[in-house]
Amino acid sequence: MLKSRLEAFSDGVFAIIITIMVLGLRVPASGQWQELFQTQFLDTISSYFFSFLFIASFWVSHHTIIAPIQIVDKTLLWVNVLMLFPISLLPFVTAWHSNFPTMAAPNFSYVFIYALSVLGLYILGKTAVNRVKQSEQQQCRQTNRVRFWLVIFGIAACFSTLLIPEIASFSVLGVLLFWILLPYIYRLVGKGHN
């Protein structure tokens, strides 16, 4: 199979997830400015914002995993599809999280889907590394080690949300900021990053 078909399918899934989340946004109850500052509206917008960044970071990570691949086989296709599964649940947990931002179950679920999604990227990265040029494998492995530690952090954050539910959004935001800033950190210390 051509790599472009795998990328097109994955891009379509990411686009549909964002579309579902946008369609799930609730319109304010009235046309008054103060509606924009109501707790319910702010919870909905902040959950959407974090989830949008979540999808954007996964789309970028997916691209950097797939771009150097030279061989697309059945194993890679199935690992890619399985990686997309937890990400496809994001609209559900985002809506639940925005409706009950201080409750443990929706917050745990939100962070758990994030941790599962990072685990999916980690497994995809591990599967992909044997399908890239020998000269690029070390850099791919190095980036994948960071993903492994993000999975561990995500699992710890899940259990933290059982004690302090509000920590969920901060955990996801912290990981997203870390992942966005990591290329700059690597440049400062003279290493590459995907």
Side-chain angles (χ1 to χ4, degrees):
M1 179 181 283
L2 295 173
K3 184 169 60 172
S4 59
R5 291 201 62 203
L6 181 148
E7 290 172 316
F9 175 77
S10 302
D11 288 350
V13 171
F14 287 125
I16 289 167
I17 292 169
I18 288 175
T19 302
I20 291 169
M21 288 191 318
V22 167
L23 294 175
L25 290 175
R26 290 184 299 275
V27 175
S30 74
Q32 303 298 317
W33 287 110
Q34 64 264 27
E35 289 293 331
L36 299 177
F37 303 102
Q38 298 296 323
T39 303
Q40 183 69 29
F41 181 75
L42 292 173
D43 290 340
T44 299
I45 289 298
S46 65
S47 291
Y48 171 76
F49 176 73
F50 290 141
S51 295
F52 183 87
L53 287 178
F54 180 140
I55 292 296
S57 73
F58 278 78
W59 179 75
V60 170
S61 292
H62 183 269
H63 170 72
T64 58
I65 290 170
I66 299 301
I69 287 176
Q70 297 181 310
I71 301 166
V72 175
D73 57 16
K74 234 182 225 186
T75 302
L76 185 70
L77 291 174
W78 277 110
V79 169
N80 186 68
V81 168
L82 291 173
M83 181 272 309
L84 292 169
F85 175 71
I87 296 172
S88 72
L89 295 173
L90 186 61
F92 167 72
V93 294
T94 298
W96 197 22
H97 177 261
S98 70
N99 286 339
F100 304 100
T102 61
M103 303 297 292
N107 280 287
F108 178 91
S109 299
Y110 187 70
V111 177
F112 183 68
I113 289 300
Y114 189 82
L116 272 183
S117 299
V118 176
L119 177 62
L121 278 176
Y122 170 75
I123 294 169
L124 181 64
K126 207 151 177 59
T127 305
V129 77
N130 296 324
R131 291 159 177 82
V132 301
K133 291 179 190 172
Q134 188 76 28
S135 60
E136 297 179 23
Q137 287 183 1
Q138 183 56 34
Q139 183 178 352
C140 293
R141 284 189 181 98
Q142 179 183 1
T143 302
N144 222 33
R145 277 194 289 276
V146 175
R147 287 188 193 101
F148 173 79
W149 288 109
L150 292 178
V151 171
I152 300 300
F153 176 81
I155 292 168
C158 284
F159 291 107
S160 298
T161 61
L162 296 174
L163 302 172
I164 309 168
E166 294 84 358
I167 205 166
S169 294
F170 295 109
S171 299
V172 171
L173 181 61
V175 170
L176 288 169
L177 288 174
F178 170 78
W179 197 248
I180 290 167
L181 296 175
L182 191 60
Y184 305 104
I185 295 167
Y186 271 112
R187 279 193 209 126
L188 286 174
V189 295
K191 298 179 180 179
H193 168 67
N194 280 329

